[in-house]
Amino acid sequence: FAFGGQDVIISDELSKEFEPEKHIQFIKKYSEDKSSYEYYMTEYLRMSGLYWGLTTLELLDKKDLLSEIEVMEFIRNCINDNGGISPSIDHDPHILYTLSAVQVACILNREYELPTEKIVNYIKGLQQPNGGFFGDKWGELDTRFSFCAVACLALLGKLDSIDLQKALEFVMSCHNFDGGFGSRPDSESHAGLTYCCVGFLSVTGNLHLINADILGYWLCERQLLSGGLNGRPEKLPDVCYSWWVFASLHMIGREHWINHDALKKFILACQDTETGGFSDRPGNMADPFHTLFGIAALSLMNHNGIKLINPCFCMPQHTISRLNLTPQILP
Ligand code: GRG
Ligand code: ZN
């Protein structure tokens, strides 16, 4: 456990049992209540919202609560002529939402309905001379998009359509002395971006390039006395880092380097037992993003009643197995 810095206190009254039925209702209500303030305010990321909601439901064996036909129709309406996919109808395409849409189609066993070649060409077109990827035509470039590119292509069975060597060089140029990774060369290590880079190395079979002990040490220093994990030194714990940090530890085979019981207790304390769903920290408002990552992290600890998740793709393991994908995991 790390001492000093900021943390929260998990008192006994915050100690909670896992309430899957409440979370199922939370996601169902969120997707049905199309006139709500939250629904309106999240239009710009709808496609990722769909991925968070569907994955949560499938981990709890309830994906049939969403209409497959409607979901695939929504995706079709978000595909642009250039092959990029938008978060919502009439929004601009972006690699983040392209990945979310492909993930959703795969979880529904309907990836064959996607225009694979167009999507692959869109992603190819975002790669830059330094090997990194733009997120979209506006030119923001960071390691999140490197992960999105290879994860998306791997799901489509087309990993060989980009310059993988150059892509790898860019990701490795963002590797820091402390073992973690940043968004661009010389950027500070951050757990979210570390997940993206470790995920990139896992998808492409390059995990041997890092020192797992040094990275593992940086990752396990993210655990605070509350049991929760933060994204970088001196920051508060947040349920989503239970995913970014813990999934990274799984990929490098160092998951036992943190205290599982304490983490479980922190995650369960972030449930809203009235509305359902998880928030970033105990007592805050629940949202679908933290709900997925809370449940996904519990899945990594083989929690009862949750299907197994794949630590690299953050998708049900049975989907990854069906696609014959074997992202690298270090022993
Ligand atoms: C398919 C699971 C999946 C992911 C797709 C987009 C993506 C890949 C991953 C996102 C990784 C991530 C959370 C990056 C964080 C970026 C960043 C620098 C956040 C800093 O935000 P602050 O400063 O947060 O608000 P902290 O917790 O550091 O205070
Ligand atoms: Zn968060």
Side-chain angles (χ1 to χ4, degrees), residues 51 96 99 103 144 147-148 183 190-193 195-196 230-232 235-236 238 240-241 243-244 289 293 312-314:
Y51 155 67
L96 283 169
L99 171 61
Q103 289 176 300
R144 282 176 306 163
F147 173 71
C148 291
S183 55
H190 187 284
L193 300 156
Y195 167 83
C196 290
N230 65 10
R232 45 194 164 134
K235 292 282 193 160
L236 282 168
D238 174 334
C240 67
Y241 294 112
W243 176 259
W244 312 119
F289 176 86
F293 294 119
C312 173
F313 288 94
C314 196

Side-chain angles (χ1 to χ4, degrees), residues 290-304:
H290 291 95
T291 301
L292 169 61
F293 294 119
I295 291 177
L298 291 172
S299 166
L300 288 177
M301 292 182 273
N302 298 309
H303 197 286
N304 259 344

Side-chain angles (χ1 to χ4, degrees), residues 81-94:
D81 291 337
N82 68 0
I85 303 179
S86 313
S88 290
I89 298 159
D90 292 333
H91 284 234
D92 288 338
H94 193 287

Side-chain angles (χ1 to χ4, degrees), residues 211-227:
N211 181 323
D213 290 334
I214 295 177
L215 172 58
Y217 192 80
W218 186 84
L219 287 168
C220 76
E221 276 193 310
R222 308 276 58 77
Q223 188 164 40
L224 305 169
L225 274 174
S226 63

Side-chain angles (χ1 to χ4, degrees), residues 48-197:
S48 289
L50 192 53
Y51 155 67
W52 304 328
L54 176 70
T55 308
T56 299
L57 290 177
E58 174 53 16
L59 290 176
L60 301 175
D61 204 20
K62 285 284 184 301
K63 82 165 160 26
D64 293 344
L65 289 176
L66 293 185
S67 155
E68 253 178 61
I69 307 288
E70 275 176 38
V71 168
M72 289 310 294
E73 158 118 19
F74 175 69
I75 292 180
R76 262 197 305 284
N77 287 329
C78 291
I79 302 177
N80 293 253
D81 291 337
N82 68 0
I85 303 179
S86 313
S88 290
I89 298 159
D90 292 333
H91 284 234
D92 288 338
H94 193 287
I95 199 168
L96 283 169
Y97 308 108
T98 304
L99 171 61
S100 293
V102 171
Q103 289 176 300
V104 167
C106 289
I107 293 170
L108 294 177
N109 305 320
R110 284 172 178 265
E111 67 280 1
Y112 60 86
E113 292 181 23
L114 297 171
T116 302
E117 207 178 301
K118 279 175 72 171
I119 299 174
V120 169
N121 279 326
Y122 173 73
I123 294 172
K124 244 172 115 160
L126 293 171
Q127 192 170 25
Q128 300 305 304
N130 70 0
F133 286 81
F134 282 177
D136 63 8
K137 66 176 179 187
W138 299 108
E140 189 187 6
L141 181 149
D142 68 46
T143 47
R144 282 176 306 163
F145 309 143
S146 297
F147 173 71
C148 291
V150 296
C152 195
L153 292 173
L155 290 169
L156 295 170
K158 299 285 181 194
L159 200 50
D160 54 7
S161 55
I162 52 164
D163 188 336
L164 273 173
Q165 188 53 41
K166 272 286 187 194
L168 175 62
E169 279 168 25
F170 177 75
V171 167
M172 290 309 290
S173 75
C174 302
H175 194 201
N176 293 324
F177 69 92
D178 57 14
F181 290 82
S183 55
R184 281 178 291 272
D186 301 318
S187 301
E188 76 167 311
S189 293
H190 187 284
L193 300 156
T194 297
Y195 167 83
C196 290
C197 294

